[in-house]
Amino acid sequence: MSNDLFSVPCVLMRGGSSKGPFFRASDLPADPAERDRLLLEIMGAGHPLQIDGIGGGNALSSKVAIVGPPTRADADIDYLFAQVRLDRQLVDTMPNCGNMLAAVGPFAIESGMVAAGDPRTEVRIHNVNTGKVILATVETPQGRVHYRGETAIAGAPGTAAPISLAFLDAAGARTGKLLPTGEASEWIDGVEVSCIDCAMPMVMLEGAALGVTDSESVAELNANTGMLARLERIRIEAGRRMGIADAADRVIPKPVLLLPPRAGGVLQVRYFMPHQCHSALAITGAVGISTACVTDGTVAQRMAGSLSLPGSVRLEHPSGCLDVALHRPAMDAPIVASVVRTARRLFEGRVFASTDPRRNAQTPWSSAA
């Protein structure tokens, strides 16, 4: 086959309740600006259906994972996450994505970047976005990645093999501090909030403060323009206080509404991305919210009540529940947050672009297929 397009190797994977293309870092342009221009075209950014790209027309399926050799001694691989906006020509590499993270270990093993063990393989993943290391444990009996299994997670159909993710030191992922403003709680626009940076910078507040109950569907929340406008004002001001001056143009901090539980959990949560309510819950969000539940003085801690370590925090979300295990390896050690996810390899091949990026690629690209 011969045509005037250019192509690059790509694997489409589901990670947790998200999905997107996975690339080897060496197959993409080394220059970040050139790389981002390519990703915008590949994903079809700027169109709500991403009709001229491989994005899925939803924030949960407009994500990219870039995996390469480690740049720090205590990691096996580097993982850079990119959120590609649907509505704008914008690639945001400030946040991490814990759901996509679930597929990074299997991708690295099958790509030959990490040697498989038996019956499991531990992969130490350096998330370049946050500078943090996450330990992934992948099922690899007889040295082969197993995707089939009996583990079910909310937000993804069916069952699959479990993948454990341990966030070894998630605090200060972007700002360097668990409480970037120095306060466990404060007031913005007449609402008590907690600004926290743990796996993901977030601003948390009680849903009732914005008139939100547990009866609204995700679609109803997304259609509540008045509530969303006020939530955005709070988010932008929280970002300014957290040192994220350009929050209006970024997807962080994420706004989170907290509600009393109704199904035996610790809290109900409505996690925004930031302008749409998540149909489930981001893993990085779950890590931060659960840590806030055991951080004195936060809105989450006040609503959750007395919790002790080690322990588990069950968070209820629109698609079900998510459990986060928390413990301290030592008295003064950072909290380790662990979750179980699943992943699946969906498609592998080459993705096409109309612009020739070969002069800026780390390794040569191919014309056509």
Side-chain angles (χ1 to χ4, degrees):
M1 174 180 169
S2 179
N3 58 45
D4 62 348
L5 298 176
F6 301 88
S7 68
V8 64
C10 169
V11 176
L12 184 66
M13 300 191 75
R14 175 183 66 80
S17 55
S18 297
K19 73 174 179 179
F22 280 63
F23 298 97
R24 287 173 173 263
S26 58
D27 289 328
L28 296 178
D31 177 70
E34 292 291 332
R35 177 201 67 209
D36 289 354
R37 275 193 286 271
L38 176 64
L39 294 180
L40 291 171
E41 180 180 356
I42 285 173
M43 298 299 286
H47 187 282
L49 298 179
Q50 295 179 309
I51 200 70
D52 200 37
I54 63 172
N58 185 286
L60 297 180
S61 53
S62 189
K63 301 182 175 188
V64 176
I66 302 168
V67 184
T71 54
R72 50 187 286 176
D74 60 346
D76 298 313
I77 54 170
D78 274 6
Y79 154 56
L80 178 70
F81 168 69
Q83 179 74 60
V84 180
R85 293 281 291 269
L86 278 69
D87 56 336
R88 299 171 57 188
Q89 293 282 309
L90 180 66
V91 176
D92 195 347
T93 56
M94 289 190 73
N96 182 14
C97 176
N99 274 299
M100 291 285 278
L101 177 67
V104 171
F107 175 81
I109 294 167
E110 292 192 279
S111 298
M113 300 181 197
V114 175
D118 181 14
R120 299 175 184 85
T121 303
E122 291 188 343
V123 184
R124 293 180 66 90
I125 302 168
H126 168 219
N127 176 236
V128 179
N129 309 75
T130 62
K132 301 294 185 177
V133 173
I134 302 97
L135 178 64
T137 303
V138 183
E139 299 293 312
T140 54
Q142 299 181 327
R144 297 177 63 223
V145 173
H146 274 217
Y147 291 104
R148 292 182 292 177
E150 302 304 318
T151 298
I153 63 168
T159 63
I163 297 172
S164 172
L165 300 174
F167 291 75
L168 305 180
D169 180 14
R174 173 54 58 178
T175 66
K177 297 179 181 179
L178 176 65
L179 300 174
T181 69
E183 303 291 339
S185 70
E186 55 204 283
W187 293 81
I188 298 177
D189 197 26
V191 177
E192 186 183 14
V193 307
S194 290
C195 299
I196 191 166
D197 180 6
C198 186
M200 178 72 69
M202 288 175 281
V203 55
M204 303 177 195
L205 56 146
E206 195 165 356
L210 298 188
V212 173
T213 69
D214 61 7
S215 63
E216 299 94 342
S217 67
V218 168
E220 287 170 332
L221 290 174
N222 289 338
N224 190 339
T225 55
M227 183 275 293
L228 290 175
R230 190 175 183 196
L231 190 62
E232 178 69 355
R233 290 196 302 272
I234 293 171
R235 186 185 80 86
I236 292 172
E237 173 59 17
R240 186 192 68 78
R241 296 186 188 186
M242 298 169 77
I244 306 169
D246 55 350
D249 296 322
R250 296 291 180 182
V251 296
I252 58 172
K254 307 283 191 182
V256 182
L257 301 182
L258 307 176
L259 301 162
R262 64 175 180 181
V266 172
L267 286 173
Q268 280 191 79
V269 300
R270 300 294 183 264
Y271 181 90
F272 289 76
M273 304 180 290
H275 306 116
Q276 287 184 313
C277 183
H278 201 303
S279 61
L281 175 59
I283 295 306
T284 47
V287 169
I289 296 166
S290 60
T291 301
C293 287
V294 296
T295 301
D296 289 342
T298 66
V299 176
Q301 190 265 345
R302 171 172 56 78
M303 294 179 65
S306 179
L307 299 174
S308 59
L309 297 177
S312 180
V313 177
R314 170 161 288 188
L315 299 173
E316 303 171 14
H317 56 75
S319 295
C321 296
L322 199 159
D323 294 309
V324 182
L326 302 175
H327 79 279
R328 288 188 190 273
M331 183 68 70
D332 297 324
I335 291 176
V336 173
S338 302
V339 298
V340 173
R341 296 278 87 188
T342 64
R344 193 160 82 88
R345 195 177 183 94
L346 301 174
F347 172 84
E348 62 180 85
R350 305 184 73 90
V351 64
F352 291 84
S354 61
T355 303
D356 182 1
R358 286 178 295 181
R359 67 186 186 278
N360 295 307
Q362 298 179 40
T363 57
W365 277 39
S366 299
S367 178

